Amino acid sequence: MSTTTEGKRHRIGYALAPKKVQSFIQPSLINHASSHNIDLIPINPSESLIEQGPFDSIIHKLYGTDWKKQLEKFSLQYPNVPIIDSPEAIERLHNRISMLEVVNRLKIPKRSEILEVPKQVVVLDSENLKENGLVGELGFPLVAKPLVADGSATSHKMYQIFDTDGLQRLDAPIILQDFVNHGGVIFKIYVAGDYVQCVKRKSLPDISREKLATLKGSLSFSQISNLNAREKSKGGQDDVVDLEKVEMPPLGFVEEIARAMREETGLSLFNFDVIRDAKVGNRYLVIDINYFPGYAKMPNYESVLTDFFLDLVRNKERELIAGSIEDGEQASNTGGEQKGNND
């Protein structure tokens, strides 16, 4: 693969929490990027961003007023340096209501596959969790998720709810979603600019009507995972999923969703989780969208992210060249007009 400017090295600054640095900035990524003339430069958010440059681009996953001010100040001085991504666009994914509203706004060409989000109810007051009529159109089992989805430990506390008693342990604000049997498989689609990759992972097992009658209260997702692991070790769970045999969603469908999500959100680095309805094989549901996910879990992530960085640099250089040509044309036209006036 050829680099944008032979021999010239490009600086991609990264501002990430320590845990994210540890998982994402792996030696394999540093080395692969370096071999393509990309240097990954750590940014200290407590120091002046401007003084830590120059940068050809900045990637980040930090929040807070001070950091936003740093980015705004940097953009004013260096408007041609792309910041991936804008804090305003990222914040849209921090609320599970606005997050899934994204899906309803996607412009996707008509095809045989159906794309939806699960039916859901938003609960803003914990007192309402004690009311039996709360779930409305929803039926048990339900999935309960915190309203805030900012990557914190609290935002990952999710439960499967089997009856009205199971609602009692929840704290508002919270989202209650219809649990759709999906064959115990979730599809995680990673997006990095134009690059899209779909991987399959094990998920919550299906629940039949008969099985639901035996379940009481609620279980956290971690408890369900532990129970499944114990069942498997005992030789139980005849319906254990063989991921190798699971068919992927059509690639064209996945790429169309990713492209539409990029256009709707204005984001370049994200993933979204999709399940396939076990009853309706062409019905897919988006259940989560995450900003700057764990790319290191994705096969061959070093190449994908390096290509993404190279695209950032190439696009920036193309824009600068186009801007220079435009400025030159304007100067030439102005000069011609001036000469004509002098004549």
Side-chain angles (χ1 to χ4, degrees), residues 9 23 53 65 73 94 163 177 184 186 190 222 268 272 298 315 328 341:
R9 301 199 69 81
S23 65
T65 305
K73 191 175 179 181
H94 286 177
D163 53 28
Q177 285 182 350
I186 190 169
Y190 292 89
S222 58
S268 294
F272 54 100
M298 181 177 70
N315 291 339
N341 290 337

Side-chain angles (χ1 to χ4, degrees), residues 275-306:
I275 58 175
R276 180 166 50 214
D277 191 331
K279 289 183 180 178
V280 185
N282 68 333
R283 179 180 182 237
Y284 294 85
L285 300 104
V286 176
I287 58 172
D288 240 332
I289 310 173
N290 307 289
Y291 183 67
F292 207 141
Y295 285 106
K297 298 174 185 175
M298 181 177 70
N300 202 31
Y301 98 103
E302 298 90 348
S303 294
V304 171
L305 268 297
T306 297

